[in-house]
Amino acid sequence: MRKLIDRWWWIALAAMVGVEAASYAGYVAPGFEMAAFVAAVSAAAFASMIKLEFGAYLVAAELALGGHGYLLRLPLGGATLSLRQALFIILIAAWVIQFGRDRSATIKRLRQTPRSIAIAYLALLVAVGLATVIGALRNDPGAVFLDANAWLFLLLAPVVVTALRTTEHFWRLTQVLAAGAVVMAFKTLWLLYAFAHATPGTEVIYRWIRDLRLGEIAHISGPVYRIFLP
């Protein structure tokens, strides 16, 4: 019989709390943010190369608490590379490398996908591709990309199908997501308490949440605040 909470939950919880702390520290001290980003991305790349499912767990963990994906970020001239984008690139790259190493096993796993799901997935890819091309021909390509890039997550489908092969893999995934739910719940309650009691430092915390697009904090009246962390 499985434990309701196992070591994967504790590992995920510790990692998430660490990333949250690094995110805040990096916002307060920008020089630290780059070091934290490089360390997190390097660890993610190493873990994904060891086992592809580790990369899938990391992507799920970031989605569970990352808001718009900018918990950690790396300025690149006029652009910014978010932690979510970096994890996406890492997982795709790790899958491509694994495909090159063991092509037959990867193809075998993909072929186990139910035909109806595979057809629906391919149809959606074609529809998104055609819409992107037509939009680029009729409108500003840059503006179209900003809209179409939201569909890039579809490329993770074959990666996840390949990485999560057993019930044990999915159990670990539920542990990661459960840890994320706990972190978000406590973070919401902590923010509510801090702002309702005018705790020192809430102005910086508000800017951290707002600037990194981690959520929304709105004053209703008196000590009542609306805390929304997507």
Side-chain angles (χ1 to χ4, degrees):
M1 183 177 179
R2 295 183 187 275
K3 294 181 179 179
L4 181 61
I5 295 176
D6 64 17
R7 66 188 182 94
W8 287 95
W9 187 89
W10 290 105
I11 292 172
L13 184 70
M16 290 177 178
V17 172
V19 170
E20 287 276 5
S23 175
Y24 180 74
Y27 182 79
V28 176
F32 176 78
E33 184 177 38
M34 180 178 296
F37 181 92
V38 172
V41 169
S42 298
F46 180 72
S48 300
M49 291 303 300
I50 293 176
K51 287 189 177 181
L52 192 61
E53 59 263 29
F54 290 169
Y57 301 150
L58 290 172
V59 168
E62 194 284 323
L63 285 172
L65 53 83
H68 285 262
Y70 290 91
L71 263 172
L72 294 173
R73 55 188 178 173
L74 180 67
L76 297 173
T80 301
L81 179 65
S82 70
L83 179 60
R84 181 169 300 168
Q85 292 168 333
L87 291 177
F88 175 87
I89 295 170
I90 287 170
L91 191 55
I92 292 292
W95 183 82
V96 170
I97 293 172
Q98 176 174 303
F99 183 81
R101 289 176 177 174
D102 196 351
R103 184 175 305 177
S104 59
T106 303
I107 293 176
K108 180 181 179 181
R109 174 60 183 164
L110 292 175
R111 285 179 175 174
Q112 294 174 350
T113 305
R115 184 182 294 263
S116 58
I117 294 178
I119 292 175
Y121 173 72
L122 292 174
L124 182 57
L125 281 183
V126 171
V128 172
L130 287 175
T132 301
V133 172
I134 293 172
L137 292 175
R138 296 180 178 180
N139 303 280
D140 175 37
V144 172
F145 174 77
L146 292 177
D147 188 37
N149 69 348
W151 294 94
L152 288 177
F153 74 92
L154 289 172
L155 298 178
L156 288 177
V159 181
V160 172
V161 168
T162 305
L164 306 182
R165 304 179 302 280
T166 67
T167 54
E168 182 64 25
H169 291 153
F170 282 98
W171 173 253
R172 293 173 183 174
L173 179 62
T174 61
Q175 293 290 301
V176 171
L177 295 176
V182 170
V183 171
M184 291 296 284
F186 274 95
K187 183 178 179 181
T188 302
L189 293 173
W190 170 68
L191 289 171
L192 182 61
Y193 178 88
F195 280 86
H197 292 80
T199 303
T202 51
E203 182 179 344
V204 178
I205 293 172
Y206 173 76
R207 293 201 305 268
W208 169 55
I209 297 292
R210 179 199 64 190
D211 293 351
L212 269 60
R213 304 177 70 186
L214 302 176
E216 297 176 7
I217 301 174
H219 181 233
I220 305 301
S221 65
V224 181
Y225 283 80
R226 174 181 177 270
I227 310 295
F228 174 65
L229 304 179

